[in-house]
Amino acid sequence: MIKIRIHKKIDIPYRLRWLNNPKVNRYIGDKLGEKTTLKEQEKWFKNYQKDKNKKFFTIFFDNKPVGWSAYQIFLNRIERLICLL
């Protein structure tokens, strides 16, 4: 079963693992092709919580986190990003 819920602070370790995967970070992340740290992701999450133009969702398959989906309003358009592993 697929489940989607709003991104929570407890999802930071998943983000860290996904963003440190070379198959992911070559396309997604603040510094393409580079690894991130727990400290950087905790800082990102604090900033994300303040940003009313972005919404991230964690995607689960059979209760296992498998990726995320992100939506942001940019120049009055909604943009979407999906990352599945």
Side-chain angles (χ1 to χ4, degrees), residues 44-77:
W44 171 88
F45 191 81
K46 275 187 175 180
N47 291 332
Y48 158 68
Q49 287 181 307
K50 297 174 191 171
D51 191 336
K52 302 300 179 200
N53 291 319
K54 292 182 183 177
K55 291 294 175 201
F56 279 73
F57 300 87
T58 304
I59 304 167
F60 294 84
F61 181 74
D62 288 340
N63 292 319
K64 178 185 174 193
V66 295
W68 77 82
S69 178
Y71 297 85
Q72 75 175 9
I73 299 171
F74 183 73
L75 298 176
N76 294 324
R77 276 189 11 222

Side-chain angles (χ1 to χ4, degrees), residues 26-41:
R26 67 190 287 190
Y27 301 107
I28 298 171
D30 293 330
K31 298 176 257 173
L32 296 182
E34 295 184 24
K35 292 192 173 196
T36 186
T37 66
L38 180 60
K39 186 176 180 177
E40 288 173 328
Q41 289 308 303

